[in-house]
Amino acid sequence: MRVFISADIEGIATTALWDQASKTGWGYDAACRQMTAEVTAACEGARAAGADRIRVKDAHGSGTNLIPELLPRYVELTRASCGSPWSMVYGIDEGFDAAMFVGYHCAAGRNGNPLSHTETKATTAVRINGKKCSEFQLYSWAAATAGVPSVLLAGDQMLCDDSASLHPSLITVPVKRGFGGLTTCLHPEEACCRIRAGAEKALRQDFRGKLPRLPDHFVFEVSYKEQTAAVRASSFPGFVLTDDNTVRMETDRYWDVLTAVVWVL
């Protein structure tokens, strides 16, 4: 069994301030250790359920946050970025049996995490077909286009609640909840224990072939904090300016959405 894991940092148990997610910020090193511990927990759960190959994509920022020497020896790690629309799930393909997402956070404009955003802090909302869209939605749907079911999501409570219906076999593991500028989190070790158990449970269920049905048509909207960003994004092929701060495109191809994300977010 081959498992793909995508890892972010704003949704791990301990992050509450932007400094903790920035290489130059206070608390970043500790956040990287916890991110690595939570990914390791997912790997251990997957291994216990029978996974014999695990690839991890370091998907936050520069893609160089996980501490390689602290990961299990059986893990293959993909770091940094090449600018591909696959982005946070770069390297996934039809050869993988399942995808897992660790350290993910709720969408831009949602109140469940003080670090909520979708790809960039420059927006107030990113929507697909009228609903606020998270990075988890963007890239778990990307995994689905490769035929890979998403079976585990670990992150903040609001993201878990918002995402529970996106995939038929999704197990969610909330490790913190937020309100305004604060978070309340599990003890870091307890978060890891729950992620490990969730990963094993996710892979022991009958998930094979259980993919979400993606919409037949996509209306992709981005609302920016600054009107200048909206004007600039409206020049990207397929986009129109719908108000002072918002652009929109429509397409029947999800790959068009993922490609646009590279350029407008």
Side-chain angles (χ1 to χ4, degrees):
M1 180 166 54
R2 297 183 67 203
V3 175
F4 188 97
I5 300 176
S6 177
D8 205 354
I9 204 168
E10 291 93 351
I12 65 171
T14 52
T15 46
L17 301 173
W18 284 111
D19 266 358
Q20 294 172 282
S22 170
K23 282 187 176 293
T24 59
W26 170 88
Y28 171 73
D29 289 344
C32 288
R33 289 195 296 273
Q34 180 62 20
M35 180 185 180
T36 305
E38 293 189 15
V39 169
T40 296
C43 293
E44 291 172 346
R47 191 78 160 180
D52 51 8
R53 290 194 63 188
I54 299 174
R55 180 180 296 173
V56 174
K57 174 67 179 80
D58 188 329
H60 172 69
S62 68
T64 55
N65 312 277
L66 292 168
I67 305 168
E69 62 269 25
L70 297 184
L71 291 170
R73 292 184 64 178
Y74 50 80
V75 169
E76 182 180 51
L77 176 62
T78 300
R79 310 181 81 202
S81 174
C82 65
S84 165
W86 289 104
S87 187
M88 298 178 80
V89 289
Y90 182 82
I92 201 167
D93 59 39
E94 63 278 358
F96 286 93
D97 297 288
M100 298 181 171
F101 295 79
V102 176
Y104 272 66
H105 50 84
C106 56
R110 296 291 279 147
N111 194 30
N113 188 329
L115 309 183
S116 65
H117 66 285
T118 303
E119 290 283 338
T120 173
K121 292 188 285 182
T123 66
T124 58
V126 175
R127 294 181 174 88
I128 291 181
N129 294 352
K131 295 184 178 180
K132 290 179 179 177
C133 176
S134 66
E135 293 169 5
F136 170 71
Q137 181 175 345
L138 282 174
Y139 296 109
S140 63
W141 278 11
T145 68
V148 183
S150 294
V151 299
L152 178 77
L153 169 61
D156 61 65
Q157 181 74 61
M158 183 169 284
L159 176 68
C160 290
D161 292 344
D162 289 346
S163 305
S165 63
L166 288 178
H167 299 273
S169 299
L170 188 67
I171 300 294
T172 61
V173 182
V175 297
K176 67 181 174 191
R177 62 185 187 276
F179 184 72
L182 61 78
T183 64
T184 303
C185 69
L186 298 176
H187 186 283
E189 292 181 4
E190 177 63 18
C192 290
C193 286
R194 295 189 187 188
I195 290 169
R196 187 192 186 285
E200 183 172 356
K201 178 181 178 181
L203 291 177
R204 288 194 183 279
Q205 66 179 323
D206 180 19
F207 62 84
R208 296 180 189 276
K210 295 184 178 179
L211 296 168
R213 178 176 178 180
L214 271 57
D216 296 324
H217 186 73
F218 302 91
V219 179
F220 183 48
E221 297 175 290
V222 182
S223 295
Y224 298 92
K225 296 176 182 177
E226 301 290 340
Q227 72 276 11
T228 54
V231 170
R232 183 171 59 249
S234 69
S235 66
F236 187 81
F239 278 87
V240 295
L241 194 66
T242 59
D243 63 33
D244 293 338
N245 296 76
T246 304
V247 295
R248 182 183 68 209
M249 70 172 290
E250 297 192 37
T251 179
D252 294 335
R253 300 196 325 146
Y254 189 58
W255 187 253
D256 293 340
V257 174
L258 294 176
T259 300
V261 166
V262 176
W263 299 101
V264 304
L265 291 180

